[in-house]
Amino acid sequence: MTILGLLQRLAVRMPPQFIPTAAPPPLSATTPAIFNLFLRLHLRSSATFTSTTMSATSTATAPLDTIFKQKKVLRSKVKKELKSMDPTLRSQEDDAIQKIVLEAPWFKSCRRLCAYISCGALREVDTFKVLSEILKNTSQDDHSQVRKKLYVPRVEDKNCFMRMLNISKMDDLIANSMDILEPAPCDAEGNEREDVMFANDPVDLFLLPGLAFDKSGRRLGRGGGYYDTFLTKYQELAKDRKWKKPLFVALSYSRQILEDGVIPITPHDVFVDALVSSSGVIPISPAAIEMYP
């Protein structure tokens, strides 16, 4: 095969920006240089694709029991880190993170959201200021943010079954068997609380907890699978109803953000769109990046 023929075959595989728009010039002394350029670009593109594919394949085909063991070890390490965190520093980061959330445009504009109720014993980022602000009655002339409808989690059993129920005041929360605050299944009048899975309108935002995160969107939970299961079901619901996917935002202490790739994942793990730490918002997904051009 001639060099010209090889160049033409390579051009078929090149991205559009590398394909010449004009016919190739006659073979000359410059042809070997052009050939080398095309060859380097082709090999570099192939190598990148192969590396990415092999990485994804190895993650997908790794035995699940191995991944679960890796997660267990990592959870233990992160829990020790959180336990050793200075309470004063933790309180400062709690305040900073909640302030960032309350001032974020995606929070101010959302109309319906699901948010976790923080548990001090689990050393989760505090959410009580955010929840109180959501539930606080605003005056008619206060246009700083729209009224919001809030859904919070209630764990129903140990088989990853969790619901998100609507509350209108902090008094709607009761302590469960583990002293974690949850909404009672019925309100003071005995009416069943609205379940977000049966609501007529979509949720705009989820504020999520977790043990560890990275800047590529990986999230390490506590091992129960409640949030991954629920988020997957809600995404399926939104898709069926042709709703826009809600923004998944995780709240994280600085020491919970790990290097990319450290957190092992399974096919069932749900990635987050953005992280909020005391240093600010870290947009990850295209939807989150659009909000922080």
Side-chain angles (χ1 to χ4, degrees):
M1 179 183 293
T2 65
I3 294 177
L4 177 58
L6 183 57
L7 282 173
Q8 290 171 336
R9 291 185 61 181
L10 286 173
V12 173
R13 297 179 174 86
M14 290 293 99
Q17 63 266 35
F18 295 125
I19 298 177
T21 55
L27 295 180
S28 66
T30 61
T31 300
I34 297 173
F35 171 76
N36 289 336
L37 173 61
F38 270 86
L39 188 59
R40 287 199 303 271
L41 290 170
H42 177 68
L43 291 176
R44 184 183 305 165
S45 175
S46 299
T48 301
F49 175 79
T50 302
S51 173
T52 303
T53 303
M54 288 177 65
S55 175
T57 302
S58 63
T59 299
T61 58
L64 286 178
D65 58 342
T66 300
I67 296 176
F68 292 148
K69 288 177 182 177
Q70 293 171 344
K71 287 189 173 189
K72 186 176 181 180
V73 171
L74 188 56
R75 285 190 186 99
S76 179
K77 290 181 179 178
V78 176
K79 285 179 181 178
K80 288 179 180 178
E81 279 287 317
L82 290 174
K83 191 174 182 179
S84 66
M85 191 173 180
D86 179 76
T88 302
L89 175 61
R90 218 177 102 199
S91 179
Q92 291 172 350
E93 290 201 22
D94 282 333
D95 291 342
I97 291 168
Q98 292 184 93
K99 185 174 186 294
I100 291 169
V101 171
L102 291 171
E103 293 177 353
W106 40 263
F107 175 79
K108 289 184 176 181
S109 63
C110 80
R111 295 181 179 276
R112 290 162 293 275
L113 75 157
C114 294
Y116 72 97
I117 302 166
S118 57
C119 174
L122 297 178
R123 293 175 174 83
E124 294 174 326
V125 173
D126 191 10
T127 56
F128 278 85
K129 288 182 180 178
V130 172
L131 299 180
S132 298
E133 184 66 25
I134 294 169
L135 298 174
K136 184 177 67 176
N137 291 325
T138 56
S139 60
Q140 293 294 326
D141 58 350
D142 182 5
H143 301 294
S144 61
Q145 61 176 278
V146 297
R147 278 187 185 274
K148 306 183 191 310
K149 194 169 190 177
L150 174 64
Y151 300 87
V152 294
R154 176 181 173 84
V155 173
E156 298 291 357
D157 60 36
K158 296 182 179 180
N159 298 316
C160 305
F161 182 34
M162 179 178 75
R163 294 195 293 162
M164 290 278 182
L165 305 180
N166 174 236
I167 63 170
S168 57
K169 55 184 182 298
M170 296 299 285
D171 290 343
D172 291 340
L173 303 175
I174 57 175
N176 65 11
S177 59
M178 297 177 63
D179 287 331
I180 297 175
L181 293 177
E182 293 183 329
C186 299
D187 61 22
E189 286 74 39
N191 301 312
E192 287 192 11
R193 297 189 185 280
E194 183 181 51
D195 187 321
V196 74
M197 295 298 290
F198 301 103
N200 294 323
D201 299 302
V203 165
D204 308 307
L205 172 68
F206 277 79
L207 294 181
L208 303 172
L211 262 180
F213 313 90
D214 70 16
K215 295 180 182 179
S216 68
R218 296 185 181 195
R219 172 186 171 273
L220 179 70
R222 294 183 176 273
Y226 291 98
Y227 274 93
D228 285 320
T229 300
F230 184 85
L231 295 175
T232 298
K233 289 180 178 178
Y234 193 83
Q235 287 182 110
E236 292 170 353
L237 174 69
K239 184 177 180 181
D240 289 342
R241 297 192 178 184
K242 295 181 173 55
W243 288 342
K244 181 180 178 181
K245 176 188 173 296
L247 201 65
F248 295 163
V249 178
L251 309 188
S252 172
Y253 294 121
S254 54
R255 61 181 61 191
Q256 289 179 284
I257 301 176
L258 309 182
E259 293 182 9
D260 289 353
V262 171
I263 300 174
I265 57 172
T266 72
H268 303 293
D269 291 334
V270 177
F271 281 49
V272 300
D273 295 299
L275 295 175
V276 180
S277 73
S278 57
S279 300
V281 178
I282 303 172
I284 297 169
S285 71
I289 292 173
E290 283 181 8
M291 299 181 181
Y292 290 88

